[in-house]
Amino acid sequence: MMEQILSKDNKNVKEYGKLISSKSYRDQNGTFAIESIKLILEAACSGVVFQKVFVTEQCVKKNPAVLQKLFDLDCPVYQISKAVEEKMTCTQNAGGLFAICKKLDKHRQADTIVPNGKYLYLAGLQDTGNVGTILRTAEAVGLDGVVISAGTCDIYNLKVLRASMGSAFRLPIFFGKDPASDLEQFGKRFVTYAAVVDESADSVLQTSFAPNSMVVIGNEGNGLEPRTITACQKQITIRMKGNAESLNAGMAAGILMWELVQN
Amino acid sequence: MMEQILSKDNKNVKEYGKLISSKSYRDQNGTFAIESIKLILEAACSGVVFQKVFVTEQCVKKNPAVLQKLFDLDCPVYQISKAVEEKMTCTQNAGGLFAICKKLDKHRQADTIVPNGKYLYLAGLQDTGNVGTILRTAEAVGLDGVVISAGTCDIYNLKVLRASMGSAFRLPIFFGKDPASDLEQFGKRFVTYAAVVDESADSVLQTSFAPNSMVVIGNEGNGLEPRTITACQKQITIRMKGNAESLNAGMAAGILMWELVQN
């Protein structure tokens, strides 16, 4: 028999809400909040440790096999009312399933990366959908890992996790600080490439990437800061045709990763 | 002196709203509605014909040069109140500028394409952001054009136009009907490639695209229908690594277009 939560003011429901909305609360607690059957199953299959699960009666009836897996996780499972579900739901197709999980301890500080392999460094990306899509693409094309600068949106943001389709749980992810300082340090161990929109930079098509490569992508609106570009050893670009000013940051990152793993 | 619109029930404001929300109303009138200074300037520079412009007093004050361009367009310009602006605004950063424009007459039926060049066929894509990003990427990488099937979301949808960053006004775009029937016809004049998630298909990396190539992308959730795949001459795929099930449809299309123009 599951414990029931009927009040939107229940402390666990409030905790869930704070974990959804506040990065500092996530950092402080070392936990994060997710919703939807698909994402929660991806988390469970990726070894994420669950602290609390919340489920509607309807979800239990519709997905007995899924719920059995969650009961096996050995964490409290609460049955929530329709009103509580409405309060907790943030995105489409949450499907009446929510969880609080522990952050992965495999996510490490940037200076622990072994300087061998192909990496992407995200310097100040702000769009949660872009960051999630980039993580999903990084896993699909076979990148060795992604570094997230201090100013990039939190990978434990629900929208990032959903857009990543679970890749955020599986891909080696490292946490950096200030891009320029990080890249000065990385430059001692990696060949560092600043991705720029600049006709005078080397075309990505003519670039033979070193076996220890780090490609740096900037913010959606402003690109990379000049001092971050200066901190990198090389500059590369995707040559544009037509009148298109630039590619979407997610798409540019996707094409760069694609070339990075081929060459 | 501009004519003022102070009522949300003004017939021009209502027409704008209907053009934003209804594809059939757009089709019936041969017009579409857009907002934001950036997109409206892209339209003006791309030869789009304007029927009506709506602007707030604040926008006129902040952007005198932009407005001068619009006054030169020789179409009625209405000054709208704050309340009307709120009613008309659909997306972020509309900035108090709105317009009703004529659809471009350079957009043609699919059977008019000259069978030479590299084309993308969108078969039933439903996400407006994906379709806009694909059009933006198609222009940037130098594709010859994009064909839109009957079931793909309307390119005159405001969200498509905004995500395309104006590429929808500049790129050659053609309108198809049912994907399987279209591709049977195209197969007589193009080499047609169905993009599939299938390990037995040819890797896009090993594909030498014909000078008259058409690559076909399916719906975000369901991919291509079997009969559409059958109607194509070849099947190609992006080989995945890791546990990523698939790429986002926009990203997959981007990588395929990138390879299509290189090879």
Side-chain angles (χ1 to χ4, degrees):
Chain A
M1 184 70 189
M2 281 182 278
E3 189 178 326
Q4 295 213 332
I5 298 180
L6 304 170
S7 163
K8 292 189 271 188
D9 296 326
N10 175 281
K11 72 177 195 312
N12 291 312
V13 174
K14 285 192 164 172
E15 183 192 2
Y16 183 90
K18 271 169 101 172
L19 287 171
I20 287 288
S21 61
S22 163
K23 175 182 189 306
S24 61
Y25 192 71
R26 292 192 290 268
D27 287 345
Q28 195 181 313
N29 287 272
T31 54
F32 63 100
I34 50 178
E35 66 184 25
S36 94
I37 294 174
K38 189 162 171 53
L39 187 60
I40 285 173
L41 275 183
E42 295 274 14
C45 296
S46 306
V48 170
V49 176
F50 283 68
Q51 266 193 355
K52 288 165 194 162
V53 172
F54 307 86
V55 63
T56 58
E57 191 181 357
Q58 200 188 8
C59 178
V60 177
K61 282 190 185 148
K62 271 175 84 177
N63 310 280
V66 171
L67 270 293
Q68 194 50 56
K69 266 198 189 169
L70 296 178
F71 291 139
D72 293 346
L73 289 174
D74 199 26
C75 81
V77 178
Y78 301 97
Q79 186 172 315
I80 55 174
S81 65
K82 198 82 194 152
V84 173
E85 178 194 13
E86 272 170 30
K87 165 97 175 165
M88 293 177 80
T89 297
C90 294
T91 59
Q92 288 183 317
N93 312 316
L97 189 61
F98 309 84
I100 294 175
C101 303
K102 283 194 188 166
K103 286 194 184 187
L104 285 85
D105 59 7
K106 69 176 180 182
H107 290 162
R108 303 222 167 77
Q109 295 308 310
D111 55 10
T112 64
I113 305 181
V114 177
N116 185 19
K118 310 284 182 83
Y119 289 84
L120 195 69
Y121 185 105
L122 302 184
L125 274 82
Q126 286 302 310
D127 183 287
T128 52
N130 273 345
V131 172
T133 303
I134 288 172
L135 296 178
R136 180 179 176 187
T137 308
E139 185 186 26
V141 304
L143 225 65
D144 292 287
V146 174
V147 187
I148 309 284
S149 79
T152 294
C153 59
D154 186 21
I155 64 154
Y156 290 106
N157 176 302
L158 178 62
K159 286 182 189 161
V160 173
L161 293 173
R162 290 209 70 170
S164 89
M165 300 286 270
S167 293
F169 302 135
R170 296 181 296 258
L171 189 72
I173 293 176
F174 300 85
F175 296 108
K177 291 172 183 164
D178 166 65
S181 322
D182 282 351
L183 287 154
E184 256 173 44
Q185 289 305 313
F186 278 129
K188 298 174 186 163
R189 304 186 293 137
F190 281 92
V191 183
T192 50
Y193 304 83
V196 295
V197 179
D198 178 348
E199 284 293 309
S200 69
D202 294 336
S203 162
V204 63
L205 285 170
Q206 267 82 56
T207 304
S208 291
F209 289 99
N212 55 337
S213 286
M214 185 164 295
V215 171
V216 189
I217 308 277
N219 172 272
E220 290 85 356
N222 310 317
L224 290 170
E225 283 183 52
R227 63 192 202 93
T228 305
I229 298 175
T230 308
C232 292
Q233 291 154 13
K234 293 170 190 274
Q235 295 179 28
I236 54 171
T237 196
I238 300 171
R239 296 233 188 287
M240 307 289 168
K241 302 195 178 143
N243 287 309
E245 274 175 51
S246 70
L247 289 163
N248 163 293
M251 187 64 81
I255 290 174
L256 288 166
M257 284 189 268
W258 176 253
E259 289 295 326
L260 177 57
V261 294
Q262 316 300 341
N263 296 305
Chain B
M1 184 69 190
M2 282 182 277
E3 190 179 325
Q4 294 212 333
I5 299 180
L6 303 171
S7 163
K8 291 189 272 188
D9 295 326
N10 175 282
K11 72 177 196 313
N12 291 312
V13 174
K14 284 191 164 173
E15 183 193 1
Y16 183 90
K18 273 169 101 173
L19 287 172
I20 286 288
S21 61
S22 162
K23 175 181 188 307
S24 61
Y25 192 71
R26 291 192 289 268
D27 287 344
Q28 194 181 313
N29 287 272
T31 54
F32 63 100
I34 50 178
E35 67 184 24
S36 95
I37 294 173
K38 188 161 171 54
L39 187 60
I40 285 174
L41 276 184
E42 295 275 13
C45 296
S46 306
V48 170
V49 176
F50 284 66
Q51 266 193 353
K52 286 164 196 163
V53 172
F54 307 86
V55 62
T56 60
E57 190 181 355
Q58 200 187 7
C59 178
V60 177
K61 280 189 189 149
K62 270 174 84 177
N63 309 280
V66 171
L67 269 294
Q68 193 51 54
K69 266 198 188 168
L70 295 178
F71 291 139
D72 293 347
L73 288 173
D74 199 25
C75 81
V77 179
Y78 301 97
Q79 186 172 316
I80 55 173
S81 66
K82 197 82 194 152
V84 172
E85 178 194 14
E86 272 170 30
K87 165 94 174 165
M88 293 177 80
T89 297
C90 292
T91 59
Q92 289 184 316
N93 310 318
L97 189 60
F98 308 85
I100 296 177
C101 304
K102 284 193 186 168
K103 286 194 184 186
L104 285 85
D105 58 8
K106 69 176 180 181
H107 291 163
R108 303 223 167 74
Q109 296 306 310
D111 56 9
T112 63
I113 306 182
V114 178
N116 185 18
K118 309 284 182 82
Y119 289 84
L120 196 69
Y121 184 106
L122 301 183
L125 274 83
Q126 285 303 311
D127 184 287
T128 51
N130 273 345
V131 172
T133 302
I134 288 171
L135 297 179
R136 179 178 176 187
T137 309
E139 185 186 26
V141 303
L143 224 64
D144 292 288
V146 174
V147 187
I148 309 285
S149 80
T152 294
C153 61
D154 186 21
I155 62 154
Y156 290 106
N157 176 303
L158 177 62
K159 287 183 190 159
V160 173
L161 293 174
R162 289 210 69 169
S164 89
M165 300 285 271
S167 292
F169 302 135
R170 297 181 295 258
L171 190 72
I173 293 176
F174 301 84
F175 296 107
K177 291 171 182 165
D178 168 64
S181 322
D182 282 352
L183 287 155
E184 257 172 44
Q185 290 304 313
F186 278 129
K188 296 173 188 166
R189 304 187 293 138
F190 280 92
V191 182
T192 51
Y193 304 82
V196 295
V197 179
D198 179 348
E199 284 292 310
S200 69
D202 294 337
S203 163
V204 63
L205 285 171
Q206 268 81 56
T207 303
S208 291
F209 289 99
N212 53 337
S213 286
M214 186 166 293
V215 170
V216 188
I217 308 277
N219 173 271
E220 290 85 358
N222 310 315
L224 290 171
E225 284 184 51
R227 63 192 201 94
T228 305
I229 298 174
T230 308
C232 293
Q233 290 155 14
K234 294 170 188 275
Q235 295 179 28
I236 55 172
T237 195
I238 299 171
R239 296 234 189 286
M240 307 289 168
K241 302 194 177 144
N243 287 310
E245 274 174 51
S246 70
L247 289 164
N248 163 293
M251 188 63 83
I255 290 173
L256 289 166
M257 284 189 268
W258 177 253
E259 288 296 326
L260 177 57
V261 293
Q262 317 299 342
N263 296 306

